[in-house]
Amino acid sequence: MADPLEDLKDKARAHVWDRLAAAAAVHDPDVHGRIPNFISAGAAADRLAELPVWKSAHVIKTVPDKAQRAVRARALRDGKLVYMAVPKLARERPFCLLDPAQLEVPPEQAADSHRAIALAPTVDVDEVRPVDLVVCGSVAVNRRGVRLGKGAGYSDLEVALLREAGRIGPETVIATTVHALQVVDEDLPESDHDFSVDLIATPEQVIECGPRRLPAGLMWERLPAEKIAAIPVLRRRASDRRSRPAGPGDGHRPGHG
């Protein structure tokens, strides 16, 4: 059965993908179905790096998307510890640990997701240090901070896992770097498991958003069985949940990825 909310999200994504394609604002031959690898992503990363929240951050969590490669490189050049999610959370230990003090290649090379997977150690959710700043990718985002990814839900899962583990807290700032054409004025559809962003950095400006939305963790009841089976960290945690004695609050934990 079709989900009306997901249909609205798909239409909003398609609108932005079409705008980017018409403006030749991305590097990829076809932007549809992707987090846009937008032109001037480096300028957006530099814009973000001008902010006090960046300068004070010691630990940054990023996505592996090409559009945020410049963010990863800038963070490593600035001496920050970077946790990059493994693409599709496909490993048992779902985050790559990029420590600038331990790099054997230049930051620009280490920031490439393929090099990072090959060279960096991976860590489990509970091994991640408390995160000061999250930088995610987006397809569309509005000035209230409502964002849409490409529809696979991995960013939501990453944030939910770290939130549930206490590595992302109320003080953690969440930002996204995008092309100006990805910022829309209209309302965007959002689900109760979606998180919002506090900051939007484009090559030209930084937009402060609010009020923030940050679910408390995973919403297991909304995770399809095939998604749990496909992602090792979810499969393991689901097994742990089944083997745990039931507690008074089990089955009612809020949040999801």
Side-chain angles (χ1 to χ4, degrees):
M1 182 181 297
D3 183 335
L5 186 61
E6 288 304 315
D7 287 345
L8 289 172
K9 288 184 175 184
D10 286 343
K11 288 178 182 176
R13 292 182 184 105
H15 174 65
V16 170
W17 282 326
D18 289 345
R19 287 174 68 182
L20 290 167
V26 292
H27 294 286
D28 295 317
D30 184 6
V31 68
H32 294 79
R34 305 171 183 264
I35 295 294
N37 183 19
F38 62 97
I39 291 171
S40 298
D46 290 341
R47 185 76 61 181
L48 181 63
E50 295 172 355
L51 300 179
V53 65
W54 176 277
K55 295 180 182 190
S56 65
H58 299 289
V59 179
I60 295 181
K61 181 268 172 193
T62 74
V63 289
D65 299 292
K66 290 179 182 178
Q68 282 68 49
R69 177 176 176 172
V71 171
R72 298 190 294 272
R74 178 63 188 256
L76 293 172
R77 287 200 307 272
D78 288 352
K80 302 181 188 300
L81 199 67
V82 175
Y83 291 99
M84 184 195 80
V86 173
K88 299 184 179 180
L89 298 173
R91 294 196 179 182
E92 188 73 28
R93 296 155 70 87
F95 296 99
C96 291
L97 170 57
L98 294 166
D99 184 344
Q102 304 294 326
L103 292 181
E104 297 181 355
V105 297
E108 287 73 19
Q109 293 183 29
D112 177 85
S113 61
H114 298 291
R115 293 294 296 273
I117 289 293
L119 298 175
T122 55
V123 298
D124 203 353
V125 176
D126 297 328
E127 297 173 300
V128 173
R129 287 175 48 185
V131 177
D132 301 310
L133 175 65
V134 173
V135 184
C136 62
S138 302
V139 172
V141 63
N142 68 19
R143 293 172 184 273
R144 288 198 300 114
V146 181
R147 66 170 285 278
L148 297 177
K150 64 184 177 183
Y154 292 112
S155 282
D156 292 321
L157 285 172
E158 294 156 19
V159 168
L161 284 164
L162 293 170
R163 176 80 167 115
E164 194 169 85
R167 273 49 179 181
I168 289 175
E171 70 288 347
T172 304
V173 175
I174 302 180
T176 189
T177 54
V178 295
H179 193 280
L181 291 174
Q182 294 173 253
V183 182
V184 300
D185 293 323
E186 59 266 23
D187 288 340
L188 289 172
E190 55 184 328
S191 305
D192 55 2
H193 58 73
D194 294 331
F195 65 88
S196 65
V197 300
D198 304 303
L199 297 170
I200 303 166
T202 75
E204 298 80 22
Q205 65 175 327
V206 171
I207 301 167
E208 295 186 9
C209 309
R212 80 170 351 201
R213 180 190 183 106
L214 185 60
L218 294 161
M219 279 186 179
W220 287 99
E221 69 278 8
R222 295 183 181 273
L223 288 171
E226 59 270 21
K227 175 79 86 174
I228 295 172
I231 298 177
V233 65
L234 293 183
R235 192 166 61 240
R236 170 164 44 87
R237 287 178 176 245
S239 176
D240 290 344
R241 282 167 58 86
R242 287 193 296 269
S243 63
R244 252 193 348 251
D250 282 5
H252 300 286
R253 171 175 266 166
H256 155 53

